[in-house]
Amino acid sequence: MSLKKVHHEQPEKFEFTQSNFDLAKKILEKYPKNRKKSAVMPLLSLAQNQNDNWIPLAALKYIGKFLSMPYINVYEIATFYSMYNLSPVGKYFVQVCTTSPCALRGSNNIVKICKEKISKNPSELSENGLCSWTEVECLGACVNAPMMQVNTDYYEDLDDLSAEKILNSFVDDKPLSPGSFRNRKNSAPEKEKKVSNGIKNA
Ligand code: FES
């Protein structure tokens, strides 16, 4: 698992645009008045969407004030969950699951391919600025291991060859479609093959 990096260049100020400010107020209405801190996660997502898919420290401070909660608590939440990015990510943000089920089926090789195709280190932009990658914990698709998430899409049932093809497609800005790369329908069993002794194999 890689450590989450805070970007070395930070904007001095952050505030919600008027439309996001209005949206943030609406989000707050969903929570009891004495529990407004509970809105911290949707507000972090709002800030991330507003700021090119990453959250500057100024936004964490802004949200802390917005919710009357200590900055350090907002920081703890933003650094705990992998879905919040604290440094710029590429147009194609690749998250490789390296938890045990994916690791047992070869996700460490996918990490190696990311290092070759995108950047030597996680959370760094590729040379053309289009891609970045990181390692994450289980993304809930273990039955299609190994897998990776790219932006909001899942690429599943991977092997070295398919992972390389997929990563090349992002680097070339011609993304392949997501889904199973062994032609499975979602997580359904693969077609059965009959073998000579009459026993069916998956
Ligand atoms: S272990 Fe990789 S998706 Fe669950």
Side-chain angles (χ1 to χ4, degrees), residues 65 70 75 77 82 95 105 116 133 136 146 182 184 192:
K65 277 197 188 140
Y75 184 90
I77 292 164
S82 63
Q95 299 178 71
R105 292 187 58 86
E116 284 162 21
W133 69 277
V136 291
R182 282 208 321 261
R184 292 167 78 194
E192 289 179 335

Side-chain angles (χ1 to χ4, degrees), residues 70-132:
Y71 163 65
I72 187 64
N73 291 157
V74 185
Y75 184 90
E76 282 164 349
I77 292 164
T79 49
F80 179 80
Y81 290 101
S82 63
M83 63 198 182
Y84 301 122
N85 305 315
L86 300 185
S87 53
V89 296
K91 175 180 173 187
Y92 302 107
F93 178 43
V94 178
Q95 299 178 71
V96 184
C97 171
T98 51
T99 302
S100 312
C102 283
L104 288 170
R105 292 187 58 86
S107 63
N108 288 341
N109 280 352
I110 300 177
V111 168
K112 270 189 208 150
I113 300 168
C114 284
K115 288 182 181 177
E116 284 162 21
K117 299 283 170 194
I118 299 178
S119 57
K120 205 169 151 210
N121 299 306
S123 307
E124 278 176 11
L125 291 175
S126 57
E127 259 177 33
N128 64 5
L130 282 179
C131 305
S132 62

Side-chain angles (χ1 to χ4, degrees), residues 97-103 107 136-147 154:
C97 171
T98 51
T99 302
S100 312
C102 283
S107 63
V136 291
E137 297 297 338
C138 180
L139 289 168
C142 329
V143 75
N144 297 69
M147 58 79 66
Y154 276 18

Side-chain angles (χ1 to χ4, degrees), residues 14 44 47 55-65 69-71 74-76 78-79 86:
F14 175 92
L44 285 169
I55 311 175
L57 296 178
L60 303 184
K61 289 180 186 150
Y62 176 84
I63 290 170
K65 277 197 188 140
M69 68 189 280
Y71 163 65
V74 185
Y75 184 90
E76 282 164 349
T79 49
L86 300 185

